[in-house]
Amino acid sequence: MKTFIHPHFEYLRDYLCLLPQRFDAEGETIYQSRNTIKVLTAPDGTRLNVKRYRIPRFPNNFVYSLGLRKPKGLRAYIYPERLVAAGIDTPTPVAYLEERRCGLLGYSYFVSVQCEDMCTLYEVGTMTSGYELLAEELGTFTAYLHEQQVLHLDYTPGNILWRQEDLGNFHFVLVDINRMRFGPVSQRSGCRNICRFWGPRHFTELLAKHYALSRGFDVEETVYLTLRYRHRFWKRYARKHTIPFVMEE
């Protein structure tokens, strides 16, 4: 088994190396689909978020196994250093583990410190008001990401955690960061990146407006592009799924 353990958590090596054996039997499952996410408690009391990635299928099993592309869990382990250096918060990485079968990548595991007392943006889907400041600050935060040449390719409600601080401002944390692109982010790419949020159309309008103001883009054009991409995305989504909130045209 290949293991990468962050130096700050080397003291947990014995425990971490046994995670694949204890994963199914221990912890609290907080997400289960293609991949499974559990919260476990380490011997010293540290709450750990452990994501087990499914065994990749052909041709990805060969691509990852031969080193032609880094596996998702390994990317999730190494990208936080780059984000933190840019002033972007993300859960502290603890370890990356991977199993091999006949030389091919099997299950892989990304371990990070569990984020406590944070909300997701799914809550906005049921809000009819009271989201204005959140939308504005999320627009400013997203503009900062893009100015730092960071494009989260899965920028969706569940992958942006937030909490409101004592002074009323919002603190954002990025999760599920294995799909990132680093480089200049154009206006159109930025607008396309912020079109998939749940909830009122007005939430996205405010987000796009403050995104444009922060980046020096034309506000009217930015809002128009974002709403157009929003309409296209949810129209395609509705062909196979039920939209999980009231969609306003």
Side-chain angles (χ1 to χ4, degrees):
M1 183 173 67
K2 181 181 291 187
T3 63
F4 295 85
I5 297 178
H6 194 283
H8 291 167
F9 298 95
E10 184 63 35
Y11 69 96
L12 289 175
R13 173 174 287 276
D14 291 344
Y15 171 80
L16 293 169
C17 287
L18 290 176
L19 279 179
Q21 289 93 311
R22 58 167 42 104
F23 184 81
D24 287 324
E26 297 184 13
E28 173 193 357
T29 301
I30 60 174
Y31 177 83
Q32 189 158 24
S33 183
R34 291 181 301 172
N35 307 312
T36 302
I37 303 176
K38 284 191 167 186
V39 177
L40 287 80
T41 303
D44 69 337
T46 302
R47 298 263 289 169
L48 300 177
N49 183 292
V50 185
K51 182 172 184 177
R52 182 174 70 184
Y53 294 89
R54 70 174 182 176
I55 299 173
R57 300 174 180 174
F58 179 84
N60 284 338
N61 54 349
F62 285 99
V63 171
Y64 294 144
S65 300
L66 296 175
L68 302 177
R69 190 181 184 200
K70 290 182 175 64
K72 293 179 179 180
L74 181 56
R75 281 179 266 149
Y77 177 75
I78 63 178
Y79 285 167
E81 182 177 3
R82 185 160 186 172
L83 296 187
V84 171
I88 301 162
D89 200 3
T90 191
T92 302
V94 175
Y96 168 69
L97 316 168
E98 66 177 43
E99 299 177 310
R100 295 265 173 166
R101 301 180 179 182
C102 300
L104 297 178
L105 180 65
Y107 285 122
S108 56
Y109 303 79
F110 169 59
V111 186
S112 62
V113 175
Q114 171 68 4
C115 276
E116 307 285 4
D117 302 321
M118 301 287 287
C119 302
T120 71
L121 288 170
Y122 287 123
E123 288 85 344
V124 178
T126 59
M127 296 173 69
T128 57
S129 63
Y131 53 73
E132 291 80 8
L133 184 58
L134 173 61
E136 293 171 7
E137 292 204 19
L138 180 60
T140 302
F141 170 75
T142 307
Y144 178 78
L145 287 183
H146 294 174
E147 289 292 338
Q148 295 299 310
Q149 301 193 3
V150 174
L151 187 68
H152 193 317
L153 297 178
D154 197 9
Y155 204 58
T156 53
N159 292 335
I160 305 165
L161 308 183
W162 62 272
R163 65 169 174 261
Q164 193 164 18
E165 307 287 12
D166 292 340
L167 297 178
N169 59 307
F170 290 86
H171 178 71
F172 298 99
V173 177
L174 293 186
V175 298
D176 202 8
I177 60 171
N178 65 84
R179 295 182 62 235
M180 309 285 284
R181 181 176 298 155
F182 300 103
V185 180
S186 67
Q187 181 186 20
R188 286 183 176 271
S189 293
C191 293
R192 192 179 296 112
N193 195 226
I194 59 176
C195 75
R196 291 185 286 170
F197 294 114
W198 293 21
R201 171 190 169 106
H202 188 225
F203 178 88
T204 300
E205 288 177 336
L206 286 174
L207 193 162
K209 174 183 176 181
H210 286 266
Y211 175 80
L213 289 171
S214 296
R215 295 204 67 189
F217 294 150
D218 180 86
V219 171
E220 185 175 344
E221 181 183 16
T222 301
V223 172
Y224 168 77
L225 285 171
T226 302
L227 292 179
R228 188 176 70 175
Y229 288 132
R230 177 180 184 265
H231 175 77
R232 288 180 180 176
F233 173 80
W234 289 111
K235 184 177 180 180
R236 287 196 303 269
Y237 184 93
R239 292 172 186 168
K240 296 183 178 180
H241 311 279
T242 300
I243 296 178
F245 60 93
V246 178
M247 182 71 178
E248 303 162 271
E249 293 297 334

